[in-house]
């Protein structure tokens, strides 16, 4: 299952190439912003926005509340997965 | 720089490091002297996600779907709605079905065009935003159909909205159509010279046969899969599904009913292009109330199968008497297509080719099988 990971657009790195820096789970990565270019074409207005990032592309702009909700669910999954991994390792050990 | 390296440089986004939360696909190829000796596929996607749904009210689980899944979020939500409705004895009206089929179709098209422009025709990258905009329009116009209900106020305006969306799609797709309608060469599909050369190079090597194609509209296959979902090892089965113990391939290859001809890399790419270029025609058939979804209305309580860009997506739910989720199971297309014994392994293992061609051939196949998560390829010289 493909989980959507919210990231915050923190800077525009190349206006011409339509790329920006997106902070995902505390890590900054370059992302292609061509799918979320605003109607007026001004990429700078995206700085501070939250986006769902997939294989290096910001695919959709989401609001902060939705991003927070998603991050909470993802954290829950992360904890669950860690517990399961620990159980599996315990069973193997 | 060779073709493969140039292509890899142009599409690094697909080959990014795996996010620990989303997991990914790790493919390791062991090469010995003059052939591929072994292929190992490790899928680290989190299989525990559906455990999160247990004991939660149905409404809450449905609300989590779009936040949780993005890439095939519409497919996941509609599969969930249909599974829950089927479990609760709610019928889907024809108009709601039409609206949902349109949304499924729109999301599939968005994913197909994304794959096309990122992997094969990067000069069309700027067209991607038109497709995303069109998908968002569909979402805005047909959002009313995404609730658990047998009748909604949006139904009255559905037909004019669908007709408008169909007209808009014609314009969105037009720039992606072949320059010369009569031509059938790779160049007329808008592929760059580099990609054409790559495909030609890949075509030199006789790949092994792909896995059999999956068809969950066949009651026999569906029954076999559902039986495995009842077993004690069901969670593991969702992670590595099979039909009677054999892996199966899903997606456009299966939809177009092309069986076991995995050696034809070019025809696999053509099948993607065909789905994109025939999109306006296929949407018109939904607008005219013909069926697009090949696999729905399974007739099994609590079960739904929807067709997404990458293949069949199955949801199975059991509700308790409080309308809470007792059990939830999902089998996603990437689990079929990147099964450790699946098409990628059977097509590549035993293949004779020079060392410097292993990466371009393997990368091409991975991109054509199109995982919905990031992937990494590692080559080991034995």
């Amino acid at each position: 299952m493909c989980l959507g990971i919210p990231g915050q657009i923190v800077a525009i790195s190349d206006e011409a190439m339509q790329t920006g820096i997106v902070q995902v789970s505390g890590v900054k990565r370059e992302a292609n912003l061509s799918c979320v270019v605003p109607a007026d074409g001004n990429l700078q207005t995206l700085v501070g926005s939250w986006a769902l990032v997939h294989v290096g592309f910001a695919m959709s702009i989401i609001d902060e509340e939705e991003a927070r909700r998603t991050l909470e669910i993802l954290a829950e999954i992360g904890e669950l997965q860690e517990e399961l991994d620990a159980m599996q390792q315990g069973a193997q050990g | 720089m060779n073709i493969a390296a140039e292509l890899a440089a142009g599409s690094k986004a697909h080959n990014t490091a795996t996010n620990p939360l989303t997991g990914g696909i790790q493919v390791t190829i062991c090469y010995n002297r003059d052939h591929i000796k072994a292929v190992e596929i490790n899928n680290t996607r989190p299989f525990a996600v559906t455990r999160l749904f247990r004991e939660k009210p149905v409404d809450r689980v449905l609300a989590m779907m779009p936040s949780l899944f993005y890439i095939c979020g519409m497919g996941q939500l509609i599969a969930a709605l249909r599974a829950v409705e089927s479990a609760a004895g709610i019928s889907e009206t024809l108009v709601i079905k039409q609206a949902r089929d349109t949304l499924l179709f729109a999301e599939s098209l968005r994913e197909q065009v994304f794959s096309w422009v990122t992997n094969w025709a990067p000069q069309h990258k700027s067209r991607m935003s038109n497709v995303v905009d069109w998908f968002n329009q569909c979402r805005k116009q047909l959002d009313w159909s995404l609730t658990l209900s047998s009748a909604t106020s949006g139904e009255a305006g559905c037909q004019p909205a669908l007709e408008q969306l169909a007209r808009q799609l014609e314009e969105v797709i037009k720039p992606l159509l072949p320059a010369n309608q009569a031509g059938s060469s790779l160049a007329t599909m808008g592929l760059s010279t580099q990609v054409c050369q790559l495909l030609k190079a890949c075509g030199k090597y006789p790949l092994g046969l792909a896995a059999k194609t999956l068809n969950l509209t066949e009651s026999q296959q569906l029954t076999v899969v559902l039986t495995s979902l009842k077993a004690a090892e069901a969670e593991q089965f969702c992670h590595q599904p099979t039909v009677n113990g054999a892996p199966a391939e899903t997606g456009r290859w299966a939809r177009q009913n092309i069986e076991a001809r995995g050696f034809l890399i070019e025809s696999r790419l053509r099948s993607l292009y065909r789905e994109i270029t025939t999109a306006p025609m296929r949407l018109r058939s939904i607008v005219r109330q013909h069926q697009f979804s090949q696999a729905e209305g399974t007739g099994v309580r609590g079960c739904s199968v929807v067709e997404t860009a990458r293949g069949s997506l199955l949801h199975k739910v059991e509700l308790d008497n409080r309308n809470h989720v007792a059990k939830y199971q999902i089998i996603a297309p990437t689990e079929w297509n990147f099964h450790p014994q699946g098409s990628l392994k059977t097509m590549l293992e035993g293949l004779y080719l020079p060392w410097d061609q292993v990466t371009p051939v393997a990368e091409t196949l991975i991109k054509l099988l199109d995982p919905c998560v990031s992937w990494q390829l590692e080559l080991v010289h034995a």
Side-chain angles (χ1 to χ4, degrees):
Chain A
M1 286 154 280
C2 35
L3 303 179
I5 305 290
Q8 191 171 26
I9 301 169
V10 294
I12 303 301
S13 47
D14 189 328
E15 295 254 2
M17 295 294 289
Q18 299 184 325
T19 56
I21 303 297
V22 177
Q23 188 162 309
V24 182
S25 312
V27 180
K28 286 181 182 172
R29 285 182 185 163
E30 187 156 67
N32 189 306
L33 304 176
S34 59
C35 294
V36 294
V37 176
D40 64 3
N42 183 3
L43 287 178
Q44 292 299 335
T45 58
L46 292 175
V47 176
S49 303
W50 286 82
L52 285 171
V53 181
H54 172 53
V55 290
F57 279 74
M59 296 292 284
S60 173
I61 299 294
I62 56 173
D63 63 38
E64 195 170 352
E65 173 57 24
E66 194 180 347
R68 189 190 56 77
R69 240 183 2 244
T70 307
L71 287 168
E72 278 174 12
I73 299 171
L74 291 171
E76 215 176 320
I77 292 170
E79 284 165 22
L80 196 60
Q81 191 69 44
E82 272 175 29
E83 279 174 32
L84 286 172
D85 290 346
M87 278 164 61
Q88 278 185 343
Q89 277 168 9
Q92 284 164 6
Chain B
M1 191 186 275
N2 66 22
I3 300 166
E6 281 176 16
L7 283 169
S11 59
K12 267 184 184 154
H14 274 278
N15 216 355
T16 50
T18 299
N19 183 310
L21 262 180
T22 57
I25 305 288
Q26 171 74 41
V27 179
T28 307
I29 292 182
C30 180
Y31 183 86
N32 187 13
R33 281 193 298 197
D34 53 3
H35 71 284
I36 293 175
K37 192 179 173 194
V39 177
E40 194 179 296
I41 303 161
N42 187 20
N43 180 348
T44 59
R45 304 209 297 155
F47 59 87
V49 174
T50 50
R51 286 194 185 200
L52 205 64
F53 300 156
R54 284 185 201 165
E55 300 191 10
K56 288 192 169 67
V58 155
D59 289 347
R60 199 168 152 212
V61 170
L62 291 171
M64 286 164 79
M65 293 283 170
S67 301
L68 197 52
F69 305 109
Y70 175 68
I71 308 314
C72 50
M74 188 60 71
Q76 296 279 5
L77 177 57
I78 292 173
L81 282 164
R82 285 177 172 163
V84 168
E85 283 169 352
S86 149
I90 300 170
S91 301
E92 186 182 49
T93 67
L94 182 62
V95 181
I96 290 178
K97 175 185 168 341
Q98 221 180 350
R100 289 178 181 173
D101 282 352
T102 303
L103 288 166
L104 279 171
F105 172 87
E107 183 177 69
S108 286
L109 182 64
R110 184 195 66 184
E111 291 304 303
Q112 286 159 343
V113 174
F114 183 77
S115 173
W116 181 253
V117 301
T118 52
N119 292 322
W120 313 109
Q123 75 277 19
H124 285 309
K125 231 171 216 175
S126 61
R127 308 285 181 197
M128 188 62 209
S129 59
N130 298 341
V131 180
V132 172
D133 286 346
W134 182 76
F135 169 75
N136 289 338
Q137 269 301 319
C138 292
R139 174 82 206 234
K140 202 172 151 188
Q141 298 270 344
L142 305 173
D143 203 44
W144 53 267
S145 67
L146 299 174
T147 55
L148 269 185
S149 170
S150 56
T152 78
S153 56
E155 290 198 24
C158 184
Q159 197 62 26
L162 290 180
E163 281 164 14
Q164 190 193 7
L165 290 167
R167 282 193 299 276
Q168 289 170 348
L169 179 62
E170 308 261 356
E171 295 305 311
V172 168
I173 291 298
K174 210 179 273 176
L176 298 167
L177 294 176
N180 175 6
Q181 292 284 352
S184 60
S185 70
L186 292 172
T188 61
M189 289 159 58
L191 298 175
S192 67
T193 311
Q194 287 171 334
V195 172
C196 293
Q197 285 172 353
L198 172 71
L199 291 171
K200 204 174 164 190
C202 289
K204 286 182 195 165
Y205 310 108
L207 302 178
L209 292 181
K212 290 275 183 189
T213 53
L214 179 72
N215 183 1
L216 293 178
T217 58
E218 264 183 24
S219 62
Q220 203 183 348
Q221 280 199 19
L222 183 64
T223 304
V224 167
V225 169
L226 291 174
T227 303
S228 299
L229 286 178
K230 287 181 192 155
E233 308 80 19
E235 205 165 55
Q236 180 61 20
F237 179 80
C238 290
H239 201 49
Q240 294 180 2
T242 56
V243 178
N244 290 325
E249 189 180 326
T250 185
R252 55 185 175 272
W253 198 244
R255 275 196 292 274
Q256 294 179 29
N257 202 21
I258 309 168
E259 188 80 53
R261 293 165 60 199
F263 54 90
L264 295 172
I265 286 188
E266 187 184 313
S267 65
R268 281 181 171 263
L269 185 59
R270 283 181 186 278
S271 69
L272 169 62
Y273 189 64
R274 196 176 305 127
E275 290 208 340
I276 293 170
T277 52
T278 58
M281 186 185 75
R282 290 184 294 121
L283 179 59
R284 277 198 299 274
S285 77
I286 297 173
V287 175
R288 289 177 197 146
Q289 303 189 354
H290 294 297
Q291 235 180 17
F292 165 65
S293 297
Q294 294 174 11
E296 60 185 321
T298 57
V300 179
R301 202 176 171 88
C303 174
S304 75
V305 180
V306 301
E307 201 57 27
T308 68
R310 295 174 178 83
S312 300
L313 168 66
L314 183 146
H315 277 223
K316 177 88 173 68
V317 62
E318 286 174 27
L319 304 178
D320 65 16
N321 53 13
R322 299 168 303 156
N323 230 18
H324 284 42
V325 170
K327 190 176 176 187
Y328 208 110
Q329 293 165 309
I330 298 177
I331 308 180
T334 295
E335 267 61 72
W336 289 105
N337 293 337
F338 287 85
H339 187 282
Q341 307 300 324
S343 284
L344 186 63
K345 184 184 177 80
T346 56
M347 286 192 286
L348 286 175
E349 226 167 61
L351 182 65
Y352 282 82
L353 76 177
W355 165 252
D356 66 352
Q357 291 298 302
V358 178
T359 297
V361 170
E363 283 192 349
T364 301
L365 277 178
I366 293 170
K367 286 175 184 174
L368 286 168
L369 286 168
D370 194 17
C372 63
V373 283
S374 61
W375 53 270
Q376 288 179 303
L377 175 65
E378 187 187 358
L379 260 55
V380 181
H381 207 311

